[in-house]
Amino acid sequence: MPSKSSARLAALTVAAVCSAASTVVLTSPAHADSVRVRDIQGTTRTSPYAGKQVTDVAGIVTGVRTYGQSKGFWIQDPDPDADPATSEGVFVFTSSTPKGVAVGDAVTVSGTVSEYVPGGTSSGNQAITEITRPTVTVVSSGNAVPAPVVVDGDSVPDAYTPQGDPAANGSVNGLPLRPSEYALDYYESLEGMNVRVSDVRVVGATDPYTELWVTVKDDEHDNRRGGTVYGSYTAQNTGRLQIQSLGKPADFPDANVGDTLTGATAGPLDYNQFGGYTLVANEIGALESGGLERETTRKQRNGELAVATYNVENLDPSDDTFAAHAAAIVNNLRSPDIVSLEEIQDNNGATNDGTVAADRTVTELIDAIVAAGGPRYDWRGIDPANNTDGGEPGGNIRQVFLFNPERVSFTDRAGGDATTAVGVQRERGKAALTVSPGRIDPANEAWKSSRKPLAGEFVFRGRTVFVIANHFNSKGGDQGLTAQYQPPARSSETQRHLQATAVNTFVKEILATQKNADVIALGDINDFEFSGTAEALEGDGELWSAVKSLPRGERYSYVYQGNSQVLDQILVSPSIRRGCDFEYDSVHINAEFHDQISDHDPQVLRFRP
């Protein structure tokens, strides 16, 4: 997911100064006198006054932001018009910490109207209408702040967004706002205004950036643990809203999914790079715990093979999470027989000195598992070529197999390395790998700057099981759900589709050699169970995503922007699926919690080979 670093100032074409004595200097301005905030906001997403100078725009200060790269304050006209499409609030960008203004001040602002796009125009995000390079006059203080607009399940439409204008490359920016028909139009019509939500359920846990997600629609694709499930591209969950705070970070609640912000949470409605419409609260409700607990799966029985996938989020020897990951594997996953680990970093993590070996990282985790009361796992992996597999520079993330030698054996076949492609051969009438462990088609352009799949040959109770550990390329670069382009472009899919096709082609080779072979492809697929990536992986029935055996409300391994969604999957060949003698569990121990040790939930498959 995207990084939170952004060049806020570089994205603006004008600078800003906030002082009653400052003077606005423009080269050849167009003047627009005596305009109201609603005139600046207009009835579309972009202002008819963009690039023009405005004078003496009146309003009451409703919020002051003194932190981050977008410092300034919001004003709102206390005398609204009757047009629901025009916002009565606007942000005044001051660049430096605002001085001389406070909530409740009646002010007039002169400056230049600007359309700022958080993340830059290449992000595809919508723009925020702002007044920049302001001259501010405080007329009076201590005034009542305009009453907040109540945002709730009745006011937010069920339809998410209109289709973009084909003549504008799919942008919705020029379309008239229809706030009674579309959720994004509704939120846009309130941009910069004072809004309030009440008694809202948390659907995205507090993150390190002191923000969380709530829903104003209690029954919108809700699940038993309090989340909001993202189950298709056209069910975006319109009730989701991001909450930030204008207060001290230390005062922000540490919330889990299923908790409730009781009472009122109120403040200006903003739009930011990492989530779109955001209530920036100067009043935040009291946190009421929903009592969410981490899940524990059941122990595999003697005749069952338990296979798991777990993204341990850039684990390296400098981390302090080894004991916690070990406890999760032993206690919550009940010590699976085979564990595919994603994001194992090399022995010195992000230090970019050419180190690629990860034996220290893996050994430290194995030792921690033993200390937690689990088995002493053995392991297999292949070191990547330095800085060729994506991820954090210098970290050289890769997939690794852990396996319990008391329960399962690994068939070693020499010759596997970073650049040698694993193949399929016939051995005594059955399929076998040419190298084990081995990497699938590592020279294929599909794996450029991305993790190559790791294939291994295991034996459980005399039967061979082929396991393919994957970590497909991320969704970085995709346009967000609240983008100005609708539907948003998912450019990262192109590479994942190629990766899925390459893995499916390899599985086809195994099944062509042995029709009833047990094959498992698993890992951080970085895409949904209903996606084109999953379809390409499944192919013509060579594989099937076993997460689809769960009820829809249980299908998630990750929570992003308040949407509980599938990224991690375990896919099985027909011989495993056919008898339906398998059990799948998405073990929710991380994604819903503010104190997570990884942002992914592990997945476990149990079956009888």
Side-chain angles (χ1 to χ4, degrees), residues 33-237:
D33 297 329
S34 303
V35 299
R36 308 286 287 269
V37 170
R38 56 180 165 268
D39 300 320
I40 293 172
Q41 288 285 13
T43 58
T44 67
R45 283 173 168 77
T46 54
S47 172
Y49 288 92
K52 297 180 181 180
Q53 183 181 349
V54 292
T55 59
D56 296 332
V57 181
I60 305 293
V61 177
T62 60
V64 180
R65 182 158 56 198
T66 60
Y67 61 87
Q69 295 181 326
S70 190
K71 298 180 179 70
F73 59 93
W74 289 268
I75 62 171
Q76 184 168 330
D77 193 325
D79 299 312
D81 66 5
D83 188 348
T86 57
S87 170
E88 303 292 343
V90 70
F91 185 67
V92 180
F93 175 64
T94 61
S95 178
S96 58
T97 301
K99 297 178 181 178
V101 293
V103 172
D105 285 351
V107 299
T108 60
V109 179
S110 299
T112 303
V113 177
S114 172
E115 290 292 341
Y116 165 63
V117 180
T121 56
S122 63
S123 70
N125 285 330
Q126 295 183 29
I128 304 170
T129 302
E130 300 179 338
I131 299 176
T132 64
R133 304 180 71 182
T135 298
V136 181
T137 300
V138 177
V139 178
S140 63
S141 299
N143 299 281
V145 172
V149 175
V150 174
V151 177
D152 59 20
D154 294 327
S155 64
V156 180
D158 292 332
Y160 192 65
T161 178
Q163 288 285 110
D165 182 358
N169 198 30
S171 174
V172 296
N173 275 357
L175 301 179
L177 294 177
R178 291 181 279 177
S180 64
E181 297 181 39
Y182 298 107
L184 291 191
D185 285 13
Y186 173 75
Y187 291 126
E188 177 65 22
S189 74
L190 301 176
E191 181 193 277
M193 290 182 65
N194 194 25
V195 302
R196 183 184 72 208
V197 297
S198 298
D199 299 325
V200 285
R201 190 178 79 248
V202 175
V203 293
T206 303
D207 66 19
Y209 307 100
T210 58
E211 58 198 22
L212 56 81
W213 286 79
V214 300
T215 182
V216 298
K217 295 186 175 183
D218 280 342
D219 58 354
E220 185 178 50
H221 302 128
D222 58 320
N223 66 18
R224 65 180 178 84
R225 291 175 63 81
T228 297
V229 178
Y230 182 63
S232 77
Y233 290 123
T234 57
Q236 301 96 331
N237 295 317

Side-chain angles (χ1 to χ4, degrees), residues 335-459:
S335 302
D337 302 309
I338 302 170
V339 183
S340 166
L341 298 172
E342 295 85 50
E343 293 198 17
I344 289 288
Q345 288 199 340
D346 64 34
N347 289 336
N348 59 11
T351 301
N352 197 356
D353 63 357
T355 298
V356 294
D359 54 303
R360 281 184 54 209
T361 307
V362 180
T363 299
E364 187 167 343
L365 179 59
I366 291 172
D367 289 345
I369 290 170
V370 173
R376 180 163 291 281
Y377 284 100
D378 203 347
W379 70 283
R380 296 292 187 274
I382 292 177
D383 296 334
N386 189 47
N387 285 336
T388 59
D389 282 16
E392 188 176 28
N396 290 308
I397 56 174
R398 83 290 305 275
Q399 301 87 267
V400 164
F401 292 127
L402 298 185
F403 63 95
N404 181 357
E406 298 298 318
R407 294 261 306 165
V408 65
S409 63
F410 189 88
T411 302
D412 288 294
R413 300 182 189 275
D417 59 27
T419 58
T420 298
V422 60
V424 181
Q425 60 190 352
R426 187 181 299 275
E427 189 175 90
R428 293 189 292 277
K430 295 185 177 181
L433 302 182
T434 56
V435 294
S436 177
R439 304 179 102 192
I440 294 176
D441 200 7
N444 190 323
E445 278 293 301
W447 311 114
K448 184 177 181 180
S449 298
S450 187
R451 283 68 56 187
K452 286 69 175 172
L454 181 70
E457 191 174 323
F458 295 85
V459 176

Side-chain angles (χ1 to χ4, degrees), residues 254-272:
D254 288 330
N256 297 327
V257 169
D259 291 350
T260 300
L261 294 183
T262 61
T265 297
L269 188 66
D270 195 19
Y271 182 96
N272 72 31

